[in-house]
Amino acid sequence: MNLLRTPIRQHPKVSLRQTAEARHWDGYKRIKVEDEHAKISCVSFAKEQPFDFAVAASARVRLFSGQACAPSKIITRFKDNVHAASLRSDGAMLAAAGDWPVVKVFETQTKAQIREFRGHSAAVQAISFLQDDLKVASGSDDKTCKIWDVPQQEEIATLKGHTDCVRAICNSSITDVITGGYDHKVKGWDLRDPKCTWTIDHEHPVEAVLALPTGSLLATAGGRFIKIWDLTSGGRLIQTLSNHQKAVTCLCHHSSDFLKGTRLIAGSLDQQLKFYDLDTFEVNHSIRYPSPILSCGISDHKKFPVLVVGMLSGALSIKRREAKLGLPQEDTKDSLLFRPTPPTTKQGPRVGSTRYYKRGVRYQPTDQDAFVANKRKKKLQQYDYFMHKFQYKNALDAALQSAHPNVVTSVLDELMQREGLKIALADRDDKELLPVLSFIVKHVTNPHHADILVHTANIIIKLYGDVCRHSSVIDDLLIKLKGQIKAELKLHENMLEIVGSIQLLASNNVP
């Protein structure tokens, strides 16, 4: 005769499915965390191999090797804090400036200062090499952007038009120079006849501007918002992204062989680094850092890119995507450095060994396989055995030994249906009552089990309310249970107040 088993409660599981995008970004493993003496204000990558990068913090700029991700050189020839630094596309030159309103250009191989440009009257907040790598643009708190000719050692133009300090600079294939300032404006400039050709209003102080790979799209960041503009349509707003809780401070983009399309990467003071799909403008992934993010950058390497994030606390996070077996690789120096060991040919188990006789244990059947039903009788669980013997006290003790909340609550539910819960809880001393109360205290705030456990606790109080003071352990557990229930009720009251406030706000916004 087949005896009925206690039905185990099933609750919906929290989805832990990891998307392909999340697996890709989780593949970036942290190499090291460098600590600077002050906030890291700028991270700049070279666009050509070996993709070296520069990090500006305090009154120095550190140069890192793109292969080893370790400091290679330190440039300290600054009188004050450095706010901006830019590597030329080949990494051979570095332009940097800061509180001291002088733009300096260095040769990265020898650390020699080869140019010094004076002309700004206030601190320089943004700097960038232009597309021809022969000119440098610098934005300052004096509300101007100046263009410097590196070979000729002279100032080419002064771009005036902002009514507040210039905080961001970039360039694209369509516009020579793009500037953004705290006057909420983003302006495009034509260097052939230095003048402003277009202006767009971001509506918040602009912290970063970034020309996307297509050349026709521009991303601007200011406040909590990132806005995407179409420059070929006269600066038409395409999308507004408002996924951050605090001001967005930095932008960069990345595309690789592992991703479909280009990703926009944004760092914010809310400690979040978010990755946006530029095809759908949705957040595909986010990484939380221990401190507000001030700067970020990622190398253009297609196989082993390096992700660098600079924080307000002075921490510098360096991550690199790990190599995977079976991926085609080019015979470059860096790919040879990170090339994984080729897999060895897997041999079968030795004949006569234990593994040999266990072959096929994990075989997954196909539609063509014949299925033979297994009619073997399943063994009853210990609590089911006692339940069918009407030994309710032993059944409850056996369920508690399993330590699985769903099993215990299912047995309690079954005892309630049989009107045997009071029998299972009666005639217990303090040692036998201890595991029951401990389980209730631990799981009573879980909404999946609260209804049964509250009912069980009420029965225990009715049975042992007069004698619970005789045991200090049971008394302490009951006091703890009372405190947890009061805290849970207070939480529910606060949540109801929040829901009421949200409904009131929503009703006011309805036309």
Side-chain angles (χ1 to χ4, degrees), residues 80-261:
D80 216 325
N81 292 333
V82 181
H83 294 314
S86 176
L87 278 173
R88 203 169 70 175
S89 59
D90 58 359
M93 289 187 184
L94 170 75
D99 285 336
W100 187 254
V102 176
V103 177
K104 297 185 178 183
V105 181
F106 300 88
E107 187 180 26
T108 56
Q109 191 64 29
T110 61
K111 300 192 299 182
Q113 180 179 320
I114 57 177
R115 296 290 186 269
E116 183 176 283
F117 299 110
R118 298 176 179 269
H120 284 294
S121 59
V124 177
Q125 301 288 349
I127 198 167
S128 176
F129 274 95
L130 301 186
Q131 282 193 334
D132 59 3
D133 283 338
L134 300 177
K135 303 180 187 67
V136 173
S138 59
S140 171
D141 287 347
D142 61 9
K143 308 174 187 178
T144 66
C145 175
K146 292 184 179 291
I147 311 299
W148 314 93
D149 190 319
V150 177
Q152 299 298 326
Q153 306 183 45
E154 62 182 7
E155 177 185 333
I156 298 177
T158 298
L159 309 179
K160 298 180 179 180
H162 286 281
T163 58
D164 206 335
C165 59
V166 179
R167 298 285 296 193
I169 294 177
C170 73
N171 56 83
S172 70
S173 57
I174 296 179
T175 307
D176 293 338
V177 180
I178 301 172
T179 59
Y182 272 8
D183 57 357
H184 304 184
K185 299 297 189 292
V186 178
K187 295 179 178 291
W189 307 84
D190 187 352
L191 295 183
R192 291 171 296 182
D193 181 14
K195 62 180 181 180
C196 178
T197 56
W198 52 262
T199 301
I200 55 180
D201 188 1
H202 183 80
E203 299 179 347
H204 294 85
V206 179
E207 294 283 356
V209 293
L210 177 68
L212 299 177
T214 58
S216 61
L217 297 182
L218 176 71
T220 62
R224 298 190 304 106
F225 305 98
I226 302 171
K227 296 188 178 183
I228 310 297
W229 310 84
D230 187 357
L231 299 183
T232 57
S233 301
R236 179 175 61 90
L237 178 62
I238 298 177
Q239 188 74 21
T240 298
L241 309 175
S242 57
N243 303 94
H244 287 279
Q245 303 302 316
K246 294 184 180 181
V248 180
T249 55
C250 52
L251 297 173
C252 62
H253 63 78
H254 177 64
S255 59
S256 71
D257 295 344
F258 307 100
L259 297 173
K260 294 181 180 179

Side-chain angles (χ1 to χ4, degrees), residues 443-487:
H443 298 284
V444 71
T445 56
N446 189 326
H448 293 312
H449 315 308
D451 53 346
I452 293 180
L453 295 183
V454 169
H455 180 71
T456 305
N458 288 332
I459 294 177
I460 292 176
I461 293 173
K462 289 180 181 179
L463 291 174
Y464 302 99
D466 298 334
V467 297
C468 63
R469 296 288 182 181
H470 297 170
S471 173
S472 60
V473 177
I474 301 300
D475 192 27
D476 292 342
L477 283 175
L478 289 175
I479 294 174
K480 187 175 181 181
L481 176 62
K482 179 182 177 182
Q484 283 192 335
I485 293 177
K486 288 182 65 177

